[in-house]
Amino acid sequence: MNEAAGKGGSVEAAGGAVAECPRCGAPLAGGVVDGLCARCLGALNFDTFTRIGGAADEEPHAVPTVEELSEFFPQLDVLSLIGRGGMGVVYKARQKSLHRHVALKLLAPERAGDPMFARRFASEARSLAALNHPHIVGVHDFGEAGGYFYLLMEFVDGVNLRQLIESRQLSAEEALEIIAPVCDALQAAHDRGIVHRDVKPENLLIDRNGTVKIADFGIARMMDEPAVEGGLQAVSDYAAMPTLAVGTPDYAAPEQRVSAPCDHRVDIYSLGVVLYEIITGQRPGSGQITPPSRRAVVDMRIDEILLKALQEEPDLRFRTVAEFRERLEEVQEQIGRKSPDQERRTWWARKRPLAVVTFAGLMAAVVAAALVIKGQPNHEGGPPSSEMSEEPLLEMESLEKAYQAFEENFAALQEARGIQIVGMPDGGNAPREQPEVVKKLEARDRQLRATILRMSKGRD
Amino acid sequence: MTNAFRTHSGEFHTTRWSIVIGAQGHSAADVNASVESLYRQYLSPLYAYVRRRGYSPHDAQDLTHDFFSRLLEKGWLSSAQPDRGRLRTFLLMAMKRFLANEWDRAKAEKRGGGSQLVSLQSEEGERLFSANAAASSTVPDELQFDRNWAMVLMQTTLDHLRREYERSTRPGDFAVLKSCLTAERGGIDYPVIARELQLLPASARSLVHRFRRRFREIFRAEVAGTVSSPEEVEDEMRALILTLGQR
């Protein structure tokens, strides 16, 4: 480190007595270091005694505007800011050459120019790009621009699971439709040695066709310090990236929270938290975990699966995500076999005590019980269950036809809700009458449910 | 060091004390690179101090050279244990003692020119001396030594930071970011910096912030290398910075 002691600037005092520091205004009595006022340079250190590592050490993170970005990404029309999180900022953009929408993710402005980070970023980005899977958000390109590292990714037009579960309850089959492909995608990645490390509802995107895609694969690792090289890290560096060092706390596996070595089984844990949340509406928290069946109407075998995925000790979890998925499907089948036809579709129902009571008061006990067990989800939690019985029933040729109609309507309803939440597929705002459209579809949804209920009751 | 922006204190800051102790029993002729670094860093303040005591440039050069030779050869450092305190204080004390007791004898024994290394550093030291003389003749010699010491540490810090940038993918940033070190927090014009560095404004803010933080980290590590225990770092930093504020 010493060969350049005299190479750069030099230490000296101001010649004569004329020069004054433009900042402190004092004559440069303390001298000049490399052209800088020594007093002010010293003050910078003084200043930091309270600041190093402290909250005050952090500058607020401003986010580039769409206009600012255009200069640095001439190949894109940057359209709008669509998200920001601990890992970066995401914009919707249009790739001029290919006339397609893309998602532009900006990361780590504090790493600009860092050659080691650049290498790691490039190597991670390449392996992500090679991770070609229908249920993983694709990486088209990556690079460094304007002081940011960026990823150009497939644009998923839809909602994330967080938005979905906050807008309504999911039925069992919907949940499985989401979880199963997520398992497949995670398994495919794990087979290539890539661990997500930040599985959470915000990172599970559902497009307008209902296809699930995992976003932000490997970003957590990219931003993290590799454990082998880490060694002694400056305290302030940790402080600078509190959310980056580990996954999102509520979903992070115990070993991630304490920065212990971790492998693909952290994803199994996080996925367990996600499924637990879909079923019960709550996250399991740490320590003693309440079995999901105590929080929602759910088969005990689901308890067993989730408690296994959520084991503190990685060795006690499922060995692979594939195993997790197989077990879920097995249980689903077992439940299905035991129950008559349409009940096969469901394996839990969210506990809704008030609705259940009202409902029981109005309907025959048998029907009420059947409904609760079958767990026909009552979307929106809005209309009281009693409304169901008042729906004008539809004439259907057969139960199968009724199911078909229900599914078609349900798909349309999902689409309509998607538009209501995120706007039109082309990026435009939702039509003003969209709430009406959703309402109509919901009404039909209720009618069809009631019809199916009546028809299946007739069968019993 | 591989990563220009990560602090692994062990990587760049070999403590000066460990250099001092490791150098015992060696002659100045076969000093290794680490001792050379000790020379480079601390010769100028010592040289300037000697000059301030009234010695001619030539004598001061000989004197600092001999001082270091004795320091290494005569086992003065056998007592330089880690509980020895601050290197700054230790070196000044040793120099004072040398001036009082040893110098005359040494001069009688031999008269030789200083090594090339010493003459190099004495140029720097001479510059310090004349600058000090011009700016503040009333400052006590000891305080001036401390001031120079602080400035040398800051210079070392800047040099270190400069080399980090030379190795980075944005080597040109250093000159611009350097000017932000002494600016008031509110007085930094981020849009201007962003334009100069071809950065997005948000990123410029982040880079400036990181640069300032990095300076503090390195400076701190440099200071840590001159004290014997971690608890002394803060005190030594305060002490050094205070010397700059006194007139």
Side-chain angles (χ1 to χ4, degrees):
Chain A
M1 61 169 294
N2 305 287
E3 76 282 358
K7 175 176 151 193
S10 62
V11 175
E12 56 196 297
V18 282
E20 284 182 358
C21 169
R23 178 184 171 185
C24 66
L28 295 172
V32 175
V33 177
D34 223 344
L36 302 174
C37 166
R39 277 183 82 195
C40 290
L41 197 54
L44 171 65
N45 292 287
F46 217 160
D47 189 59
T48 60
F49 280 113
T50 51
R51 257 198 217 106
I52 284 187
D57 200 34
E58 279 303 283
E59 294 278 351
H61 283 290
V63 166
T65 64
V66 167
E67 292 73 37
E68 286 168 352
L69 285 170
S70 61
E71 181 188 334
F72 292 91
F73 294 94
Q75 74 277 31
L76 303 175
D77 284 324
V78 181
L79 303 171
S80 57
L81 175 71
I82 53 177
R84 57 187 298 187
M87 302 288 176
V89 205
V90 189
Y91 298 82
K92 180 179 180 178
R94 200 179 64 91
Q95 203 170 9
K96 291 176 184 169
S97 57
L98 294 171
H99 298 286
R100 63 172 173 183
H101 282 135
V102 288
L104 171 67
K105 180 155 198 143
L106 302 183
L107 299 158
E110 71 284 356
R111 299 297 185 94
D114 178 343
M116 184 164 157
F117 183 78
R119 271 197 300 278
R120 191 166 77 224
F121 177 76
S123 112
E124 291 283 333
R126 283 194 190 100
S127 62
L128 295 183
L131 195 58
N132 216 334
H133 193 279
H135 296 294
I136 294 175
V137 173
V139 171
H140 300 321
D141 198 5
F142 68 91
E144 200 179 338
Y148 283 89
F149 288 88
Y150 71 86
L151 288 169
L152 208 56
M153 300 179 298
E154 176 187 356
F155 177 72
V156 177
D157 187 11
V159 294
N160 67 38
L161 182 59
R162 165 76 58 225
Q163 293 165 309
L164 197 61
I165 59 184
E166 278 178 0
S167 72
R168 64 190 178 87
Q169 293 168 11
L170 297 190
S171 72
E173 58 188 334
E174 285 175 302
L176 191 70
E177 266 168 24
I178 290 166
I179 295 297
V182 168
C183 288
D184 291 346
L186 285 173
Q187 186 61 53
H190 293 171
D191 289 343
R192 307 185 72 135
I194 301 176
V195 180
H196 190 294
R197 302 224 291 178
D198 197 18
V199 174
K200 56 183 175 182
E202 288 79 0
N203 284 337
L204 303 180
L205 311 182
I206 298 134
D207 73 11
R208 290 176 183 276
N209 302 318
T211 308
V212 186
K213 287 179 188 268
I214 310 181
D216 276 1
F217 231 104
I219 308 270
R221 184 182 135 85
M222 225 179 244
M223 308 302 292
D224 203 349
E225 300 303 320
V228 280
E229 299 168 53
L232 295 164
Q233 196 191 15
V235 173
S236 59
D237 274 3
Y238 277 122
M241 311 185 285
T243 55
L244 308 183
V246 293
T248 310
D250 281 351
Y251 299 89
E255 63 268 30
Q256 279 176 295
R257 286 182 228 140
V258 296
S259 300
C262 47
D263 58 18
H264 68 281
R265 291 171 298 185
V266 300
D267 288 349
I268 298 179
Y269 184 95
S270 304
L271 193 56
V273 179
V274 171
L275 185 55
Y276 189 102
E277 190 174 8
I278 298 179
I279 294 176
T280 66
Q282 289 167 284
R283 290 188 281 276
S286 51
Q288 188 70 29
I289 293 171
T290 309
S293 65
R294 298 234 199 104
R295 290 181 162 173
V297 178
V298 56
D299 193 283
M300 303 270 271
R301 280 166 289 197
I302 299 295
D303 282 357
E304 171 223 333
I305 295 176
L306 280 177
L307 293 179
K308 182 161 182 180
L310 294 172
Q311 285 288 340
E312 291 260 322
E313 182 58 52
D315 285 346
L316 300 177
R317 291 176 210 148
F318 294 101
R319 278 171 305 168
T320 63
V321 193
E323 205 180 284
F324 178 55
R325 182 195 161 147
E326 278 164 28
R327 188 71 194 118
L328 273 175
E329 286 181 337
E330 261 173 45
V331 166
Q332 193 204 14
E333 259 183 36
Q334 286 167 5
I335 297 171
R337 241 183 277 128
K338 211 178 63 181
S339 328
D341 50 18
Q342 78 277 11
E343 291 172 30
R344 188 173 299 142
R345 300 164 164 275
T346 58
W347 33 295
W348 75 69
R350 187 82 63 82
K351 196 179 263 176
R352 302 174 46 78
L354 188 63
V356 170
V357 171
T358 324
F359 194 81
L362 292 167
M363 302 278 285
V366 173
V367 177
L371 248 185
V372 173
I373 294 161
K374 279 181 273 185
Q376 294 291 2
N378 182 2
H379 293 305
E380 306 296 309
S385 313
S386 58
E387 264 184 36
M388 265 187 170
S389 61
E390 290 156 16
E391 293 296 339
L393 298 180
L394 300 164
E395 285 307 315
M396 287 287 165
E397 279 175 41
S398 65
L399 190 56
E400 282 63 41
K401 284 265 159 69
Y403 264 119
Q404 203 185 329
F406 169 76
E407 304 223 325
E408 279 163 12
N409 185 68
F410 189 73
L413 176 59
Q414 269 189 304
E415 165 107 30
R417 280 177 171 144
I419 291 173
Q420 196 177 347
I421 295 170
V422 295
M424 296 297 283
D426 63 4
N429 290 334
R432 195 174 304 167
E433 67 276 13
Q434 195 61 17
E436 281 305 309
V437 174
V438 171
K439 262 190 196 149
K440 274 188 191 150
L441 289 166
E442 280 172 348
R444 185 164 165 81
D445 182 77
R446 284 195 298 274
Q447 280 184 323
L448 285 163
R449 282 170 196 279
T451 307
I452 289 171
L453 183 67
R454 188 204 52 184
M455 289 175 81
S456 53
K457 197 173 73 180
R459 266 192 182 186
D460 288 342
Chain B
M1 83 175 251
T2 47
N3 179 2
F5 296 103
R6 191 112 29 87
T7 308
H8 296 298
S9 34
E11 273 178 340
F12 69 88
H13 116 245
T14 315
T15 72
R16 310 298 166 240
W17 270 122
S18 66
I19 293 171
V20 169
I21 294 165
Q24 288 177 59
H26 290 84
S27 73
D30 61 30
V31 288
N32 59 26
S34 61
V35 179
E36 198 177 304
S37 78
L38 189 69
Y39 270 91
R40 284 187 182 281
Q41 214 170 348
Y42 307 115
L43 261 179
S44 334
L46 283 172
Y47 174 93
Y49 175 78
V50 173
R51 285 283 283 123
R52 233 178 139 82
R53 304 300 295 172
Y55 293 87
S56 72
H58 186 263
D59 277 353
Q61 192 172 329
D62 273 1
L63 208 148
T64 29
H65 174 70
D66 283 355
F67 171 74
F68 267 94
S69 302
R70 297 283 161 136
L71 200 65
L72 300 174
E73 287 164 12
K74 292 263 172 141
W76 283 358
L77 299 171
S78 55
S79 54
Q81 296 306 318
D83 62 352
R84 191 62 202 238
R86 299 168 183 186
L87 185 59
R88 168 172 60 95
T89 321
F90 171 81
L91 286 179
L92 185 60
M93 292 294 292
M95 177 55 96
K96 281 183 175 173
R97 208 164 45 205
F98 182 69
L99 288 178
N101 307 324
E102 302 280 326
W103 170 238
D104 290 340
R105 227 175 308 149
K107 204 161 57 172
E109 282 166 21
K110 74 164 167 62
R111 269 239 43 146
S115 68
Q116 202 195 344
L117 185 64
V118 173
S119 51
L120 239 175
Q121 291 306 306
S122 61
E123 261 177 52
E124 177 76 22
E126 189 63 28
R127 201 159 45 230
L128 267 181
F129 168 71
S130 42
N132 296 160
S136 45
S137 50
T138 55
V139 173
D141 298 344
E142 286 76 11
L143 175 58
Q144 194 57 59
F145 171 79
D146 289 344
R147 239 177 222 185
N148 289 339
W149 180 277
M151 289 199 290
V152 164
L153 278 179
M154 290 197 287
Q155 182 63 55
T156 307
T157 303
L158 275 178
D159 290 338
H160 184 93
L161 201 48
R162 178 182 288 109
R163 278 192 303 283
E164 285 190 352
Y165 271 80
E166 280 167 1
R167 284 195 300 265
S168 85
T169 57
R170 305 181 55 93
D173 290 4
F174 179 82
V176 176
L177 292 174
K178 198 184 84 172
S179 67
C180 299
L181 285 176
T182 51
E184 294 279 7
R185 286 209 148 209
I188 300 173
D189 193 341
Y190 293 108
V192 166
I193 289 166
R195 262 198 304 282
E196 273 186 72
L197 298 182
Q198 276 289 296
L199 292 169
L200 285 152
S203 164
R205 181 177 288 272
S206 188
L207 276 197
V208 167
H209 177 58
R210 183 186 69 190
F211 191 85
R212 290 165 64 102
R213 198 177 72 212
R214 191 73 190 116
F215 179 88
R216 300 184 319 230
E217 285 172 0
I218 300 171
F219 183 73
R220 193 185 170 79
E222 286 293 333
V223 171
T226 68
V227 296
S228 55
S229 72
E231 299 79 58
E232 289 174 82
V233 179
E234 297 261 321
D235 277 353
E236 175 68 351
M237 284 179 80
R238 283 178 189 282
L240 285 175
I241 290 154
L242 272 176
T243 65
L244 297 169
Q246 293 170 23
R247 267 193 295 269

